[in-house]
Amino acid sequence: MAAVGGSASLQLPCVFSPKSRQYLAVCAQDGRLRIWNTDSKTLHQEYVPSAHLSATCTCIHWGPCRTVKEGPQRKKRKSEAGQLEEKADLLAMGTAAGTVLIYSTARGALHCTLDGGHSRGVNCVHWHPEESLFYSGSDDTNIVEWDLQTGKTRSKWKADRAAVTSLCVSPDGKLLLSAGQIIKMWDLGTKEVYRKFTGHSTAVTTLRFATTRPPDTNGLYFLSGAAGDRLLSVWQVREDGKDKNSVVSFTLTDEPKHIDVVTSKSKEEAVRLAVVCKDGQLHIFEHFLNGHCKKPLSASCTVQMSDNQDSPMPIPLLAATLGPDSRTVMLAYGNYLQPVMERVNIDTAERHICLSRNIQTALSLPIASTVSKVKTPIVNDKSKVLVPGLPGHQAPFKGTSLSSEKRKKDSDTKEMSIAERLGEIDLQSAASTVKGAAKGMPSLQADNFAVLLVQGLESSDGNILSKVFQTHKDMVIKKTVARLPLPAVLPLVEEITRRLQGHPFTAVVMVRWLKAVLMYHTSYLSSLPNLVSQLGLLYHLIESRVKMFHKLTKLHGKLYLLVTQVATSTSSNKVSEVDHTAKLVYEEESSDEDEASGDEGLPDEDSDNWEEEVEDHKEEQIDEGEENPKSRGGSKANRDEDMENGNESEEE
């Protein structure tokens, strides 16, 4: 039983059922829970949560096996009363919204929904050996103990300062391991910390008990793995409390993604590990836990998978579980949407094993065995299409153009060609723009485009498809896609994928068509068994298109700032020249007396002693001022009288 962490680890939840390993539960990228039967290698059940897009599944964990009733059964005999088989039934799923969903595989439906315990996303869930109890850890740093009989929380306590990323309950149900910034061991009876372990610098994503011995015998061991860490650390719970550091380390090639442990019940029994790393490799360990080991231990056997093409490509392993003997291993490989399950025998004496598989052949068996509900009509040479287009299709236009009337006069029984139909559409669209009749036109155009689009896809005529794809009206595109029959949806997606590889301007229009297809036909596309292989090229194409978008946006912003700064600096350097010429000149007319007095005061041009006369005149004024200072007031009064007389003369 493996519980995969949510926010701390980027891998998707993927876990085998306990004991018989009959089922494989996977939560894929689309948020759906898929349960695969490992015996028949087919999809057993599929459950779509109501909020699978907004509240995706972050972690899953199988409950303990129990006796369940699957439908009506005959009455058991007394000799068969004690032979009831226990099967894996309940499955706990933590979501990013903080709720926990309990799914029942026996009923094929949701058992119950538990909410109100966490305020943030759930990172890990783990069942108690008693089937009615289980625990959950969240980003809100709390651990919640749930009771399935009442559907409510039994207890809740704060576990750490950081988010709780992993949980594990001991086989006897008395101890609980939790990981946040540090690893803590809790006594479930008192809900108090029993031990603390420090040694990981990143978030711990994996916690497992390696032995079932009690802690007072110094024989209790557990292992832990962290994000980005290529080591699995083994810790010993000592009675004296001297257990600060790990005692054993297992080396890996990458961060651990899935771990299966066969616990040790005594010192004479070795612990067996099957660790699937993030790089898709499987490492198998076997070690006797008995105290401290100085050197890190390497895997006794490493398993890789590849295809059998001319240039082999690696096939990633998703999960692995050990069988009852030391040679049998159950593998799950491929992709999460449709994994391939296989039970293989591995010779652990070899250090490195590479398994070659044809994944397309392996996928063809479950695809062929599935029954499709979509009926495709059989078209052969004897089939005759009476009316092109959709069933019940009627002539869209009541009025006829001049060219169509001429053709009717020539021959009434002659069928219109594709080029003539395209011409009719152009004429009718031009006439509609002139007349302004835009109410019924989108539906009529969409009807015509749907007919032509189906014909173009069936005949692979590039001219017809190019003519249909030239439209830029969103309403026409949506109605055209909505009128398409289901068998034409997948060829349309393939044609859109092919055209997306062309010029970027063509891709802009193709994205509108792709958006309309996903809007109206998502339910049909999700029902196709081989959808992953058919839409793989489209997914990688879109990823490659938007890969550099963020960097180009940053570059565009920097260039915009530089261009704006240069334009601002050049505009500030250009100083406009000021025109000093007067716009208006006003000359005041002076009186004759002022002109006369002005002429008398100017010196003669022929006089050479102008400066001397001016200096003599200044000295005379100074002497007069010293002799008669009182004469200044009188002279000032005389000047005022002269000014008044002058003003009176001007008024006259």
Side-chain angles (χ1 to χ4, degrees):
M1 295 187 297
V4 181
S7 62
S9 59
L10 299 177
Q11 61 268 11
L12 296 172
C14 179
V15 56
F16 285 97
S17 61
K19 291 188 179 181
S20 64
R21 316 295 185 185
Q22 184 181 3
Y23 301 119
L24 174 68
V26 181
C27 277
Q29 295 95 331
D30 54 0
R32 300 167 182 255
L33 172 66
R34 293 181 175 91
I35 299 177
W36 299 84
N37 192 322
T38 58
D39 297 331
S40 61
K41 298 179 177 58
T42 55
L43 182 63
H44 179 61
Q45 292 176 3
E46 182 177 7
Y47 172 68
V48 183
S50 58
H52 66 284
L53 297 179
S54 60
T56 57
C57 177
T58 56
C59 52
I60 55 179
H61 192 258
W62 285 95
C65 295
R66 63 174 186 169
T67 304
V68 293
K69 296 181 180 180
E70 298 181 357
Q73 297 179 349
R74 65 178 178 85
K75 188 176 181 181
K76 300 289 183 179
R77 298 177 182 176
K78 291 183 178 180
S79 59
E80 299 176 349
Q83 299 178 1
L84 294 177
E85 184 182 1
E86 292 185 347
K87 295 183 179 181
D89 177 25
L90 298 181
L91 183 69
M93 298 184 294
T95 64
T99 59
V100 179
L101 308 178
I102 306 298
Y103 181 80
S104 174
T105 56
R107 296 168 49 203
L110 188 66
H111 181 72
C112 63
T113 302
L114 306 176
D115 53 4
H118 295 290
S119 58
R120 299 180 65 183
V122 178
N123 293 329
C124 48
V125 290
H126 204 281
W127 287 83
H128 194 272
E130 299 177 4
E131 63 180 43
S132 61
L133 296 178
F134 76 97
Y135 300 86
S136 61
S138 170
D139 284 337
D140 59 4
T141 71
N142 293 325
I143 297 176
V144 176
E145 183 181 33
W146 300 90
D147 188 355
L148 282 186
Q149 294 181 354
T150 61
K152 298 180 180 180
T153 60
R154 289 185 59 178
S155 60
K156 178 180 178 181
W157 67 95
K158 185 177 180 62
D160 206 323
R161 295 180 180 178
V164 180
T165 56
S166 185
L167 291 174
C168 186
V169 182
S170 62
D172 58 1
K174 296 180 180 179
L175 299 175
L176 173 67
L177 285 173
S178 70
Q181 291 181 342
I182 59 176
I183 301 174
K184 294 181 181 181
M185 180 175 286
W186 302 84
D187 186 353
L188 291 179
T190 60
K191 304 298 187 297
E192 294 180 356
V193 177
Y194 181 72
R195 288 284 194 278
K196 290 183 180 181
F197 305 90
T198 57
H200 292 287
S201 59
T202 56
V204 178
T205 58
T206 303
L207 288 174
R208 298 288 183 278
F209 277 95
T211 60
T212 58
R213 288 165 268 175
D216 54 1
T217 60
N218 293 336
L220 183 61
Y221 293 84
F222 71 92
L223 55 91
S224 63
D229 199 350
R230 298 184 179 182
L231 287 175
L232 274 180
S233 301
V234 180
W235 309 79
Q236 182 182 14
V237 184
R238 297 176 58 90
E239 187 179 4
D240 54 5
K242 297 179 180 180
D243 44 19
K244 301 299 182 183
N245 299 320
S246 60
V247 294
V248 181
S249 296
F250 297 110
T251 59
L252 305 173
T253 56
D254 206 340
E255 175 187 342
K257 181 172 65 172
H258 183 278
I259 297 179
D260 185 62
V261 183
V262 177
T263 58
S264 170
K265 298 180 181 179
S266 63
K267 293 182 179 180
E268 292 76 17
E269 187 179 359
V271 175
R272 297 169 56 210
L273 302 177
V275 184
V276 177
C277 295
K278 200 173 181 179
D279 58 359
Q281 298 186 37
L282 169 64
H283 303 282
I284 299 176
F285 298 89
E286 189 170 353
H287 181 68
F288 291 91
L289 295 176
N290 190 11
H292 189 269
C293 185
K294 295 182 179 179
K295 295 183 179 180
L297 302 177
S298 58
S300 59
C301 181
T302 300
V303 181
Q304 290 179 282
M305 299 196 70
S306 65
D307 55 14
N308 52 6
Q309 302 296 329
D310 296 335
S311 57
M313 296 295 293
I315 300 175
L317 284 165
L318 307 178
T321 181
L322 298 171
D325 56 350
S326 59
R327 298 174 60 89
T328 306
V329 179
M330 173 69 74
L331 302 178
Y333 56 90
N335 57 70
Y336 288 99
L337 291 176
Q338 191 170 359
V340 180
M341 288 77 66
E342 183 180 356
R343 197 182 303 271
V344 296
N345 291 327
I346 295 177
D347 186 6
T348 56
E350 298 183 16
R351 295 296 302 271
H352 297 279
I353 298 175
C354 183
L355 302 177
S356 179
R357 296 289 186 272
N358 188 351
I359 194 168
Q360 297 297 333
T361 306
L363 287 174
S364 62
L365 177 62
I367 291 174
S369 60
T370 56
V371 179
S372 177
K373 296 182 180 179
V374 180
K375 301 298 181 182
T376 305
I378 300 175
V379 180
N380 49 26
D381 298 336
K382 297 181 180 180
S383 302
K384 183 178 180 181
V385 180
L386 298 178
V387 180
L390 300 176
H393 175 67
Q394 298 177 355
F397 302 105
K398 297 181 179 179
T400 57
S401 60
L402 297 176
S403 59
S404 61
E405 290 179 357
K406 290 180 181 179
R407 281 195 298 272
K408 285 185 178 180
K409 292 179 180 179
D410 295 338
S411 60
D412 295 336
T413 59
K414 185 179 179 181
E415 186 178 0
M416 295 173 61
S417 63
I418 299 298
E420 291 173 348
R421 291 177 184 173
L422 293 176
E424 287 291 331
I425 293 177
D426 292 339
L427 291 174
Q428 293 294 338
S429 60
S432 63
T433 53
V434 173
K435 295 180 181 180
K439 290 186 178 180
M441 199 60 194
S443 61
L444 298 177
Q445 282 185 352
D447 201 1
N448 276 331
F449 282 152
V451 174
L452 293 174
L453 185 57
V454 172
Q455 292 179 353
L457 292 174
E458 290 179 354
S459 61
S460 300
D461 194 334
N463 295 328
I464 300 177
L465 295 175
S466 300
K467 192 69 177 180
V468 174
F469 288 145
Q470 282 179 359
T471 179
H472 296 273
K473 297 180 180 180
D474 292 336
M475 186 60 67
V476 176
I477 294 174
K478 291 179 181 179
K479 291 188 176 181
T480 302
V481 174
R483 285 174 168 81
L484 281 181
L486 292 180
V489 174
L490 193 57
L492 175 60
V493 174
E494 294 176 354
E495 181 66 23
I496 291 174
T497 304
R498 189 181 65 81
R499 290 176 178 262
L500 278 174
Q501 302 175 15
H503 199 275
F505 291 109
T506 307
V508 173
V509 182
M510 290 298 102
V511 167
R512 297 182 180 179
W513 285 89
L514 180 61
K515 181 180 178 182
V517 171
L518 297 178
M519 184 183 300
Y520 289 100
H521 300 290
T522 303
S523 58
Y524 167 70
L525 290 174
S526 60
S527 64
L528 298 177
N530 54 349
L531 180 66
V532 179
S533 59
Q534 292 174 342
L535 296 186
L537 178 61
L538 177 62
Y539 177 77
H540 292 297
L541 182 63
I542 295 176
E543 284 291 328
S544 61
R545 289 266 183 169
V546 302
K547 186 176 181 180
M548 301 297 294
F549 179 72
H550 184 62
K551 295 181 180 179
L552 290 175
T553 306
K554 287 186 177 180
L555 179 61
H556 177 267
K558 293 179 181 179
L559 292 176
Y560 177 76
L561 289 176
L562 290 175
V563 171
T564 307
Q565 188 176 4
V566 170
T568 306
S569 61
T570 53
S571 62
S572 61
N573 292 333
K574 293 180 181 180
V575 181
S576 59
E577 296 180 358
V578 181
D579 189 6
H580 295 284
T581 58
K583 301 297 182 182
L584 178 64
V585 178
Y586 175 74
E587 293 181 358
E588 184 180 1
E589 295 179 358
S590 59
S591 61
D592 297 338
E593 296 178 359
D594 293 338
E595 293 178 357
S597 61
D599 294 339
E600 292 175 358
L602 294 174
D604 296 336
E605 295 179 357
D606 299 336
S607 176
D608 296 333
N609 300 326
W610 182 76
E611 294 181 358
E612 295 179 359
E613 291 176 358
V614 172
E615 291 178 359
D616 296 339
H617 183 66
K618 289 182 179 179
E619 291 177 357
E620 290 177 0
Q621 288 181 353
I622 292 171
D623 294 338
E624 291 176 359
E626 292 177 354
E627 292 176 359
N628 192 7
K630 294 182 180 179
S631 62
R632 295 178 184 176
S635 63
K636 184 177 180 181
N638 294 331
R639 284 197 297 271
D640 295 338
E641 291 177 0
D642 294 337
M643 292 289 290
E644 292 176 358
N645 295 331
N647 293 333
E648 292 176 358
S649 63
E650 288 178 0
E651 292 176 358
E652 291 175 358

